[in-house]
Amino acid sequence: MQLTLWTYEGPPHIGAMRIAASMTDLHYVLHSPQGDTYADLLFTMIGRSRKRPPVTYTTFQARDLGGDTAQLFKDSVNNAYQRFQPKAMIVGASCTAELIQDDPGGLARALTLPIPVIALELPSYQKKENWGASETFYHIVRGLVAVDKSISAQQYQENRSASKQEGQKPTCNILGPTALGFRNRDDVQEIAGLLESMGIEVRVVAPLNASVSDLAKIPAADFNVSLYPEIGQLTCTWLNKTFGQPFTKTIPIGTKATKAFIREVAQLANLDPEAILAAQEERARWYAKSVDSTYLTDKRVFIFGDGSHAIAAAKVAAEEIGFKVVGLGTYSREFAREVREAAKSYGIEALITDDYLEVEQKVSELAPDLVLGTQMERHIAKRLGVPCAVISAPVHVQDFPARYSPQMGFEGANVLFDTWIHPLMMGLEEHLIMMFRDDFEFSAKAAPSHLGHAAPSEASQIMASQISVPSASSLKVDDEEVVSSDVESLWAADAEKELGKIPFFVRGKARRNTEKFAVEHSISRITIETLYDAKAHYGR
């Protein structure tokens, strides 16, 4: 474990909470001390859930450790069942309660409740949130789905085919979406609509909005759609081995991936994909090829998030918009191999870390034009003055929008294009305003041309006169640090003014390169000539 201010994932029992909060009639009893009771905050305030999460805490205190905490847990389980009447329960311990080793599973089974009780063993000090969600979903499905061990997976598959009536639609399940998942609600709506337009019936969506009885129906479908591998891949693999249900491997993020997804699904359902492909209006693809988007070509982008979203974002950025991927990484160590393979295709080395300070250092070194990441990268980019768009959990309340805003499917491709491009376009607009700010028409002292009577107030003129180009606090050259006062004294006034004409999203890099050039060449005063000499030197 590592003590940190921010973390990309919580402990694994948070993942279990996400599964419980996703379902309609499942309850989670968590053996935990007072102070671990933050589920309401996560799901109602951040995730904007309409209802409180179905989580009951034992909330033992320090004085309880001298007594019978095991009895306290049994009482909590019994009370939760009597009060909420769930169709099934999961029980486990938080990272703190794990240390007292009360065996929540054994204690709950001893109560002999008339519903399934599934014990979770989630090692809090070795694993994290997404792993916990994956394991919880897997154990719930295994615990609730009836398996006839005398029948092989192939026989299950043959029985499904034999029981199919003539003209019956192909069927599938959508597995993996959860509460607190990034745009999962809208992704499910988009992909379910896409599947239905292909003539495929969606039987079960789980765990999001699924009931206990829904999970028992999963093996009846022809195949499974794995939308979020971090959560659903383990369960899909088990269903494939046990019931012979194939599952999709393509994540439909971006136009190309959505087309590949349609073809993969069509093959599993024995359908012709061409009709549905021909009917799609690909606005994002057309916009990306239009003349207005030539400004975007070769923009340098740094990407960081969970494994599946980071890999998909890199493909969209490089192959559909024309960005240059200069950095790619993930905090999902379970998907490190896949991210490393993806990074190789862009000629870069993947960053695998759950330390946001390492990510910040990498972003600072690369000085990209755009950052695509989590809410952590949003903070990092803001500190460094770089445009940013969020593509992955962890996210905050603003990434649970009231509007329809999927990341997947063709509409998701449109959302991605708008979300990623707008920060750069606004950057261009701000740069143009800055570049022409000394012209008589754009001066802060000039009235707007169409509002001749509206002269700027004296206060706004004073504020405008106080706007200055931000300067670096320090500079490192060959591991020798030059203090900020020395660096600032390097710049001549006309050179500072010229520096201000450089677009703000690359101005920091231009400043650093020029100062480094000046130090390396023993230049005591940076002039306009020095600025352009440095530009020529680093542009080779």
Side-chain angles (χ1 to χ4, degrees):
M1 290 189 70
Q2 180 180 0
L3 186 63
T4 183
L5 181 64
W6 298 100
T7 181
Y8 287 97
E9 295 182 89
H13 69 267
I14 300 297
M17 276 185 201
R18 288 173 55 189
I19 303 301
S22 300
M23 296 183 62
T24 59
D25 50 8
L26 178 75
H27 199 83
Y28 184 22
V29 178
L30 183 64
H31 199 22
S32 61
Q34 191 175 37
D36 274 1
T37 54
Y38 39 70
D40 283 4
L41 174 70
L42 287 172
F43 295 97
T44 60
M45 191 190 84
I46 296 177
R48 295 186 176 183
S49 174
R50 297 180 182 182
K51 58 182 181 179
R52 295 181 65 185
V55 182
T56 293
Y57 301 90
T58 56
T59 58
F60 60 82
Q61 301 178 47
R63 64 173 178 266
D64 296 318
L65 295 176
D68 191 355
T69 54
Q71 185 59 46
L72 180 64
F73 176 78
K74 288 194 287 186
D75 291 343
S76 297
V77 172
N78 216 2
N79 293 338
Y81 172 72
Q82 297 295 333
R83 179 181 178 186
F84 299 105
Q85 294 292 305
K87 301 299 182 186
M89 295 181 76
I90 53 177
V91 297
S94 73
C95 44
T96 312
E98 185 181 325
L99 300 174
I100 61 177
Q101 300 181 342
D102 272 338
D103 185 21
L107 294 171
R109 281 191 294 270
L111 295 173
T112 61
L113 296 176
I115 58 171
V117 177
I118 299 157
L120 302 175
E121 293 186 9
L122 306 176
S124 300
Y125 299 96
Q126 289 84 37
K127 299 293 184 177
K128 294 198 172 183
E129 180 180 328
N130 281 343
W131 183 90
S134 175
E135 282 288 309
T136 301
F137 185 44
Y138 166 68
H139 283 290
I140 290 173
V141 171
R142 284 203 64 170
L144 299 177
V145 171
V147 180
D148 185 348
K149 294 184 178 179
S150 66
I151 301 177
S152 68
Q154 186 176 352
Q155 287 174 307
Y156 267 113
Q157 195 168 18
E158 290 170 355
N159 291 345
R160 278 195 303 271
S161 300
S163 63
K164 232 179 193 182
Q165 298 176 0
E166 189 174 346
Q168 183 179 343
K169 290 181 178 181
T171 59
C172 74
N173 306 307
I174 297 177
L175 304 182
T178 69
L180 284 188
F182 182 59
R183 306 289 170 86
N184 286 17
R185 176 201 67 187
D186 297 344
D187 285 347
V188 167
Q189 183 178 335
E190 180 71 16
I191 298 306
L194 179 62
L195 292 167
E196 288 165 5
S197 70
M198 295 176 67
I200 298 170
E201 179 187 346
V202 178
R203 286 277 179 89
V204 176
V205 176
L208 190 64
N209 298 325
S211 65
V212 168
S213 61
D214 286 337
L215 298 189
K217 302 173 187 174
I218 287 176
D222 296 323
F223 64 95
N224 293 312
V225 172
S226 176
L227 279 194
Y228 306 98
E230 285 82 1
I231 310 299
Q233 185 165 289
L234 178 62
T235 301
C236 287
T237 302
W238 179 76
L239 291 167
N240 177 249
K241 289 180 179 178
T242 308
F243 299 102
Q245 282 182 306
F247 62 94
T248 59
K249 312 297 192 303
T250 306
I251 309 301
I253 295 180
T255 300
K256 287 187 175 182
T258 301
K259 287 182 174 181
F261 173 79
I262 289 172
R263 290 192 174 95
E264 183 182 15
V265 166
Q267 185 177 7
L268 294 175
N270 295 316
L271 297 173
D272 181 7
E274 298 309 319
I276 189 70
L277 289 172
Q280 299 304 319
E281 182 185 357
E282 302 167 20
R283 292 195 298 274
R285 185 165 178 256
W286 185 87
Y287 291 154
K289 293 168 68 176
S290 68
V291 67
D292 288 341
S293 292
T294 55
Y295 164 71
L296 307 171
T297 304
D298 283 340
K299 286 293 181 187
R300 302 170 72 256
V301 61
F302 175 88
I303 301 167
F304 194 88
D306 68 36
S308 56
H309 280 91
I311 292 169
K315 286 181 70 68
V316 174
E319 299 177 16
E320 299 185 25
I321 301 181
F323 291 157
K324 182 179 180 182
V325 178
V326 296
L328 176 62
T330 184
Y331 58 83
S332 303
R333 295 188 181 276
E334 294 84 2
F335 288 81
R337 180 180 299 175
E338 291 87 341
V339 174
R340 285 193 178 100
E341 286 298 316
K344 284 180 184 177
S345 65
Y346 306 111
I348 57 178
E349 184 177 346
L351 176 64
I352 312 297
T353 183
D354 56 5
D355 185 347
Y356 70 98
L357 293 175
E358 287 185 35
V359 179
E360 182 169 7
Q361 182 180 356
K362 194 67 175 178
V363 174
S364 181
E365 289 173 5
L366 293 172
D369 301 309
L370 176 68
V371 171
L372 302 176
T374 72
Q375 69 162 334
M376 234 84 82
E377 281 65 53
R378 180 197 280 130
H379 293 309
I380 290 168
K382 187 175 182 181
R383 281 168 52 87
L384 298 175
V386 181
C388 179
V390 174
I391 61 158
S392 164
V395 292
H396 215 283
V397 61
Q398 62 265 50
D399 291 304
F400 292 94
R403 70 185 185 281
Y404 181 61
S405 185
Q407 300 289 286
M408 295 184 177
F410 291 111
E411 185 59 27
N414 297 334
V415 172
L416 291 182
F417 184 85
D418 288 345
T419 306
W420 299 3
I421 299 318
H422 287 173
L424 291 173
M425 289 300 188
M426 289 304 292
L428 177 64
E429 180 180 291
E430 184 172 333
H431 164 56
L432 292 174
I433 292 171
M434 287 289 291
M435 189 167 69
F436 292 108
R437 71 186 184 279
D438 291 329
D439 288 18
F440 72 95
E441 289 182 290
F442 296 97
S443 169
K445 297 179 181 179
S449 58
H450 62 295
L451 296 172
H453 62 282
S457 66
E458 183 178 347
S460 66
Q461 291 183 31
I462 294 172
M463 188 178 296
S465 68
Q466 293 174 344
I467 294 174
S468 61
V469 179
S471 57
S473 58
S474 64
L475 172 67
K476 266 196 172 183
V477 180
D478 296 333
D479 294 329
E480 292 186 14
E481 188 168 317
V482 182
V483 296
S484 59
S485 59
D486 294 337
V487 170
E488 289 171 7
S489 66
L490 288 171
W491 288 84
D494 58 347
E496 280 276 9
K497 186 176 180 180
E498 192 70 13
L499 179 68
K501 296 179 181 179
I502 296 173
F504 76 96
F505 41 82
V506 292
R507 190 181 303 142
K509 183 179 180 181
R511 174 183 283 277
R512 290 192 297 273
N513 284 348
T514 306
E515 291 168 350
K516 183 177 179 181
F517 178 84
V519 172
E520 289 176 346
H521 291 80
S522 301
I523 297 173
S524 59
R525 190 75 167 162
I526 294 176
T527 62
I528 293 178
E529 288 74 17
T530 311
L531 181 62
Y532 283 101
D533 286 344
K535 179 184 177 184
H537 175 77
Y538 289 106
R540 291 170 189 160

